């Protein structure tokens, strides 16, 4: 399949950064409960009432190409395969078919993952940076700026397990955003932040996009997608429904979901 | 033109592909600071919640050794090994390190899923980090071991310096074990239930608290097999170096080198083979 350059509101180069080629993601999960026996594919007899191995086909053969300087919004209802796709692009989830190609190692900012719950925010900043391959010195120099960006000055010495979900999401975003990434994937990480933080992080995302970085943004907030993205991909049940200009795709999505306002 | 060709033409690389072994090791080495720092922070955090803090790292094995000494010392009566207290302390301390690394390695990937799912780095650093944490515990224990040797009137000789290479070989061996147990528990979570059992069995079969030669003197074949038991090899070497009445043999040294390099090499390859799998949801 030849790559097509999709219509977008701002000019983008024709240099591909991420190529998603017929990606399939299948989870094999032990399920339990009433549903499990019906859908069960295997399972020993004596246990089959309780346990069943179910296959969940989360992403079904998606293909698209993303070019340098684009920022791509990913929308779709809960469980449509957005997060699975993002983790596959970041190389954190094994895929069962197809491949993802990228010009640089994509960095993912996901929901829920607390890095090291027993360590303080400050230590998490240092370790997160070291794991991403940055030097100790520059991480220590950046610690204050990161803390400030996350707005956590008062709490930075407390263990991360004591943080609220909004606080830890802010800290994770601040760690990831402290450096320019060629490819940054933000998976609903901003949804839990408050309005002030959201504005600050959207500004930072635009800044990164303008310095030739590529940003993926998964969000249920159509407003923040419209504010930051140059292209929107709509996924439903693991399949691509629409790909193109943000306003067009979001309008179509809103018709589908039955909402009439963009918020 | 297929998308794959198109991607290759523009110099894009497949994401999440397992790098070649050397490249993988180089990348892990580049981030050694991460493993060191994580081990340090983790052991600080683990100690901070207890009142006695890091004292537990020496207190626990000491209490353990004393209890075993009391029980087995009485049970075995006159068939007790010579120089019983230094003999026993050497065995218990070294074994608590090896079994600690094995157990910590088992939980190092499955227990850090938050990290594995949000950042990409060579996963090997997790079991390695867990082993480093055990080394932090081992060092004060080694000091205590030397003290025990002195207190129980073992002659101080230059040979004690050989404890350094013995420790190094043992650390290599344990790193290999940690890498192996880390991958195994990813495949089969149930193994975590078996680990305490395995640790116990090896404890009872490796001559930690009894003299193997004396107990197995009527079973030459079993004794011959035990000579290759890596735990027995490391413990015997340390006793040969510091406890009066015991000697080291060339065979022990060869076996220790063999086990250290073999287990480490095997562990690295075994763990690296499944690199793409860590962090999967099932």
């Amino acid at each position: 399949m030849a790559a097509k350059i999709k219509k977008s509101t701002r000019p983008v180069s024709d240099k591909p950064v991420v190529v998603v080629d017929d990606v399939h993601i299948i989870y094999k999960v032990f399920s339990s409960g009433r549903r499990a026996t019906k859908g069960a594919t295997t399972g020993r007899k004596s246990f089959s009432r309780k346990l069943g191995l179910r296959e969940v086909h989360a992403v079904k053969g998606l293909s698209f190409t993303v070019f340098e300087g684009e920022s791509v919004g990913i929308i779709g209802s809960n469980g449509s395969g957005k997060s699975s796709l993002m983790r596959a692009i970041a190389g954190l989830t094994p895929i069962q078919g197809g491949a993802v190609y990228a010009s640089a190692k994509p960095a993912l900012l996901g929901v829920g993952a607390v890095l090291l719950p027993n360590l303080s925010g400050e230590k998490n900043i240092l370790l997160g940076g070291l794991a991403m391959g940055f030097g100790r010195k520059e991480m220590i120099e950046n610690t204050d700026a990161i803390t400030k960006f996350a707005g956590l000055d008062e709490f930075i010495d407390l263990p991360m397990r004591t943080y609220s979900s909004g606080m830890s999401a802010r800290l994770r975003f601040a760690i990831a955003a402290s450096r320019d990434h060629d490819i940054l994937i933000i998976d609903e990480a901003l949804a839990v932040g408050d309005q002030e933080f959201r504005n600050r992080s959207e500004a930072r995302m635009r800044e990164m996009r303008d310095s030739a970085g590529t940003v993926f943004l998964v969000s249920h907030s159509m407003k923040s997608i419209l504010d930051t993205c140059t292209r929107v991909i709509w996924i439903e049940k693991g399949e691509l429904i629409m790909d193109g200009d943000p306003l067009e795709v979001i309008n179509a999505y809103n018709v589908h979901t039955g909402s009439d306002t963009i918020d | 033109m297929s998308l794959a060709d198109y991607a290759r033409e523009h110099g894009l690389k497949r994401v999440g592909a397992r790098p070649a072994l050397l490249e993988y090791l180089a990348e892990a080495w580049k981030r050694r600071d991460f493993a060191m720092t994580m081990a340090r922070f983790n052991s600080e955090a683990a100690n901070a919640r207890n009142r006695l803090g890091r004292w537990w790292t020496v207190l626990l094995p000491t209490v353990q050794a004393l209890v075993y000494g009391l029980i087995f010392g009485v049970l075995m009566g006159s068939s007790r090994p010579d120089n019983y207290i230094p003999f026993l302390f050497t065995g218990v301390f070294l074994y608590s390190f090896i079994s600690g690394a094995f157990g910590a390695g088992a939980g190092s990937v499955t227990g850090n899923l938050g990290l594995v799912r949000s950042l990409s780095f060579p996963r090997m650093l997790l079991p390695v980090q867990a082993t480093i944490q055990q080394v932090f515990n081992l060092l004060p224990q080694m000091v205590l071991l030397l003290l025990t040797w002195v207190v129980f009137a073992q002659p101080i000789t230059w040979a004690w310096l050989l404890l350094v290479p013995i420790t190094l070989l043992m650390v290599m061996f344990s790193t290999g074990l940690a890498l192996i147990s880390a991958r195994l528990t990813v495949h089969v979570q149930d193994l975590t239930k078996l680990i305490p059992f395995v640790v116990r069995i090896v404890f009872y079969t490796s001559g930690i608290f009894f003299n193997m030669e004396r107990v197995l003197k009527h079973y030459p074949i079993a004794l011959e097999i035990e000579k290759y038991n890596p735990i027995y090899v490391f413990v015997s070497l340390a006793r040969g170096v510091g406890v009066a009445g015991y000697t080291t043999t060339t065979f022990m040294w060869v076996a220790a080198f063999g086990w250290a390099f073999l287990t480490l090499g095997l562990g690295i390859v075994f763990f690296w083979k499944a690199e793409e799998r860590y962090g999967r949801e099932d």
Side-chain angles (χ1 to χ4, degrees):
Chain A
M1 191 188 100
K4 278 176 281 180
I5 299 177
K6 304 284 179 192
K7 202 182 115 207
S8 74
T9 50
R10 58 203 323 280
V12 288
S13 70
D14 55 357
K15 192 173 166 284
V17 182
V18 175
V19 173
V20 175
D21 180 12
D22 192 31
V23 165
H24 288 266
I25 300 172
I26 300 165
Y27 296 120
K28 290 197 181 88
V29 196
F30 283 106
S31 55
S32 59
R34 215 179 307 159
R35 190 60 232 276
T37 38
K38 276 186 228 159
T41 50
T42 58
R44 282 147 297 171
K45 250 185 195 155
S46 55
F47 288 112
S48 59
R49 206 170 303 159
K50 284 267 168 63
L51 283 178
L53 194 61
R54 267 190 58 181
E55 282 195 2
V56 179
H57 205 150
V59 173
K60 301 168 186 157
L62 283 186
S63 297
F64 56 85
T65 303
V66 175
F67 298 91
E68 192 172 68
E70 269 188 316
S71 58
V72 183
I74 312 281
I75 57 174
S77 48
N78 291 136
S80 55
K82 304 183 297 282
S83 296
S84 299
L85 179 66
M86 292 304 112
R87 274 214 299 276
I89 292 179
L92 297 168
T93 289
I95 51 184
Q96 277 67 39
V100 177
Y101 304 90
S103 61
K105 205 162 213 174
L108 172 80
L109 206 56
V111 259
V114 173
L115 302 174
L116 294 150
N118 290 327
L119 301 183
S120 70
E122 199 176 3
K123 288 176 173 171
N124 269 290
I125 293 177
L126 177 59
L127 279 176
L130 290 177
M132 287 191 282
F134 304 145
R136 166 186 292 267
K137 236 180 101 193
E138 69 182 301
M139 279 319 287
I140 289 176
E141 278 165 14
N142 283 339
T143 302
D144 283 343
I146 294 173
T147 313
K148 213 162 180 189
F149 189 93
L152 289 172
D153 299 276
E154 281 171 75
F155 307 107
I156 203 69
D157 54 339
L158 294 180
M160 218 167 148
R161 73 184 127 86
T162 63
Y163 287 17
S164 73
S165 51
M167 283 158 75
S168 65
R170 278 152 62 147
L171 185 63
R172 272 180 287 120
F173 181 81
I175 295 172
S178 68
R179 266 296 212 91
D180 280 332
H181 295 272
D182 294 330
I183 304 166
L184 179 64
I185 305 169
I186 300 162
D187 185 359
E188 292 190 63
L190 309 176
V192 275
D194 50 35
Q195 192 55 47
E196 187 209 347
F197 181 72
R198 215 181 291 185
N199 295 340
R200 217 182 320 162
S201 44
E202 277 170 13
R204 177 73 186 116
M205 268 151 54
R206 278 191 291 269
E207 207 177 292
M208 268 197 255
R209 182 193 65 201
D210 293 340
S211 62
T214 301
V215 181
F216 288 83
L217 174 65
V218 176
S219 180
H220 289 287
S221 159
M222 296 305 142
K223 188 173 172 294
S224 64
I225 294 224
L226 273 180
D227 285 351
T228 42
C229 296
T230 57
R231 171 181 170 188
V232 171
I233 293 176
W234 172 17
I235 300 172
E236 211 60 67
K237 289 184 179 154
E239 279 160 2
L240 198 140
I241 305 288
M242 214 177 158
D243 175 358
D245 176 70
L247 211 54
E248 273 173 41
V249 179
I250 287 175
N251 282 335
Y253 180 69
N254 280 341
V255 170
H256 170 81
T257 55
S259 51
D260 43 11
T261 51
I262 289 171
D263 62 347
Chain B
M1 187 168 64
S2 76
L3 265 182
D5 293 335
Y6 172 72
R8 216 162 293 133
E9 193 179 291
H10 284 82
L12 306 191
K13 288 204 192 89
R14 192 162 89 74
V15 172
R18 172 164 55 97
L21 184 56
L22 282 182
E23 199 184 314
Y24 182 68
L25 289 176
E27 198 159 316
W29 176 249
K30 222 170 60 193
R31 296 177 192 199
R32 60 191 182 279
D33 199 11
F34 166 69
M36 284 300 282
T37 313
M38 184 172 168
R40 212 183 69 220
F41 285 171
N42 271 341
S43 64
E44 279 169 12
N47 291 329
R49 288 216 222 172
N50 298 320
R51 237 164 249 236
L52 289 175
R54 58 180 59 251
W55 284 102
W56 275 115
T57 58
V58 275
L59 218 56
L60 203 62
T62 312
V63 173
Q64 231 176 359
L66 286 175
V67 171
Y68 291 136
L70 208 67
I71 295 173
F72 297 117
V74 172
L75 277 182
M76 285 191 286
S78 57
S79 65
R80 256 196 313 261
D82 306 328
N83 268 322
Y84 193 47
I85 294 292
F87 177 94
L88 181 74
F89 270 55
T90 312
V92 170
F93 283 10
L94 295 200
Y95 188 62
S96 82
F97 168 71
I98 296 176
S99 59
F102 180 64
S108 61
V109 175
T110 47
N112 285 309
L113 278 184
L115 204 58
V116 172
R117 285 185 191 151
S118 35
L119 297 173
S120 72
F121 55 90
R123 308 307 187 201
M124 195 186 133
L125 291 170
L126 291 173
V128 167
Q129 167 273 131
T131 317
I132 296 175
Q133 218 178 310
Q134 296 298 316
V135 174
F136 289 154
N137 294 346
L138 175 69
L139 295 179
Q141 289 174 18
M142 283 308 217
V143 174
L144 187 65
L145 180 62
L146 291 176
L147 277 178
T148 336
W149 286 356
V150 172
V151 170
F152 288 88
Q154 307 301 310
I156 302 174
T157 64
W158 285 110
W160 284 24
L161 284 179
L162 287 173
L163 211 51
V164 175
I166 294 173
T167 308
L168 280 178
L169 290 173
M170 199 172 66
V171 169
M172 286 170 69
F173 173 75
S174 307
T175 310
L177 276 190
L179 286 162
I180 293 170
S181 68
R183 174 171 169 189
L184 284 180
T185 44
V186 167
H187 289 295
V188 192
Q189 268 278 310
D190 311 37
L191 284 178
T192 38
K193 306 272 179 224
L194 281 178
I195 282 175
F197 186 62
V198 172
V199 166
R200 239 12 36 201
I201 289 185
V202 176
F203 178 82
Y204 287 118
T205 52
S206 302
I208 308 292
F209 59 88
F210 58 88
N211 188 330
M212 196 79 89
E213 262 121 51
R214 219 174 273 176
V215 172
L216 290 181
K217 68 179 167 227
H218 299 303
Y219 307 94
I221 299 175
L223 194 59
E224 196 55 37
I225 294 173
E226 281 290 353
K227 271 191 181 170
Y228 293 90
N229 176 346
I231 314 292
Y232 183 53
V233 168
F234 287 118
V235 171
S236 307
L237 271 179
R239 283 175 187 149
V241 161
V243 183
Y246 299 89
T247 49
T248 59
T249 62
T250 319
F251 176 82
M252 284 183 198
W253 282 105
V254 174
F257 266 94
W259 273 115
F261 282 91
L262 190 79
T263 314
L264 184 61
L266 198 79
I268 290 173
V269 173
F270 183 67
F271 188 86
W272 161 75
K273 283 269 184 195
E275 178 75 4
E276 291 183 25
R277 199 191 181 284
Y278 306 124
R280 190 140 87 192
E281 303 275 309
D282 55 60

